[in-house]
Amino acid sequence: MSGAAALRALHHGRAAGDPLVLPGPWDAASARVFADAGFEALATPSAGVSAALGFEDGQGTPPAEMFAAVARIARAVDVPVTADVEAGYGLPAAELVERLLAAGVAGCNLEDTDPATRRLRDPHEQADYLAAVRAAAGADLVLNARVDTFLRGDRTLAEAVARGRLYAEAGADCLYPITAPPELLADFREQTGLPVNALCRAGSSSPRELGAFGATRVTFGGTLQEQAMHVLAETARGLRG
């Protein structure tokens, strides 16, 4: 079974309260830690990888550096890796797919925020891009389509569902209504017909709780890298006495 097929299968047949938990490694060493802990798949966060490379998320991380970092992570582990590649770095769909497959990943996350304006893209244009990615990738990538309406839109379930349905028709495997209130996840999933990714942040609902609310899979954004840096900062302060 290919990495994409294995990752896709992990999204289905899950019991309520048992979502697919995908930790977010930011380099090869952290990826090994998560894989050795027994996680079935990993999801690189653009924020965490960018921070490890010395950049702020969404603020000009060179695509070549991002793909190289993702490739090192994918090579370091024997479980499927899906990569957050923001809005695609302005790459044509075929080139984006080529670079993702060359990096050895099994899936990708694509958001519908325009990186230049920080506003939502036209949903039909985004759906066209997703369809082109699907056509180029075939079954070789699990496509997680991020819906940013709760970040930048009118924050209603109806708006998120409208975009989600377009992205589902374009060939997405999973939808990611980032920062959606947990109590809306089950309705969003039912009305779009696809597995749903939820964001787990410090102080918010746990992965199991998000699963009970309706999440199929749970990711962490840059949270785990931030927590690791906090521990490192405490260690550094201790070294100085």
Side-chain angles (χ1 to χ4, degrees):
M1 183 182 296
S2 70
L7 179 60
R8 190 173 285 112
L10 289 171
H11 289 70
H12 298 281
R14 309 201 70 89
D18 181 34
L20 174 62
V21 178
L22 299 172
W26 52 94
D27 59 15
S30 59
R32 291 192 189 101
V33 168
F34 293 131
D36 289 347
F39 287 97
E40 299 173 285
L42 307 176
T44 68
S46 65
V49 176
S50 293
L53 293 172
F55 299 93
E56 292 186 24
D57 187 32
Q59 299 297 314
T61 304
E65 292 195 38
M66 178 62 74
F67 287 114
V70 168
R72 288 191 292 271
I73 290 169
R75 286 198 303 267
V77 296
D78 293 326
V79 298
V81 174
T82 179
D84 180 356
V85 288
E86 301 180 44
Y89 303 113
L91 297 172
E95 183 178 351
L96 176 66
V97 169
E98 180 181 1
R99 296 180 77 164
L100 286 165
L101 295 178
V105 299
C108 70
N109 182 82
L110 284 167
E111 63 191 54
D112 58 359
T113 291
D114 185 320
T117 64
R118 307 310 297 168
R119 296 178 179 176
L120 287 169
R121 292 190 66 185
D122 177 86
H124 297 280
E125 291 179 1
Q126 180 69 2
D128 288 345
Y129 186 63
L130 294 171
V133 170
R134 170 54 68 218
D140 292 336
L141 287 175
V142 175
L143 181 55
N144 187 39
R146 205 175 91 176
V147 179
D148 286 2
T149 54
F150 292 101
L151 278 178
R152 311 184 193 283
D154 65 8
R155 297 177 174 83
T156 64
L157 176 63
E159 177 65 17
V161 167
R163 283 179 176 260
R165 286 174 173 168
L166 284 173
Y167 303 165
E169 292 171 2
D173 294 285
C174 184
L175 298 173
Y176 182 11
I178 188 170
T179 72
E183 59 270 19
L184 297 183
L185 293 175
D187 286 340
F188 180 85
R189 180 177 174 178
E190 180 179 356
Q191 293 182 45
T192 58
L194 284 184
V196 174
N197 189 135
L199 174 66
C200 182
R201 297 181 291 184
S204 67
S205 301
S206 70
R208 185 171 293 278
E209 288 169 338
L210 289 169
F213 276 118
T216 310
R217 78 182 209 177
V218 175
T219 53
F220 300 85
T223 298
L224 300 179
Q225 189 268 346
E226 292 170 2
Q227 291 176 345
M229 291 304 100
H230 177 74
V231 172
L232 184 58
E234 291 291 330
T235 301
R237 285 191 286 270
L239 292 174
R240 289 185 57 85

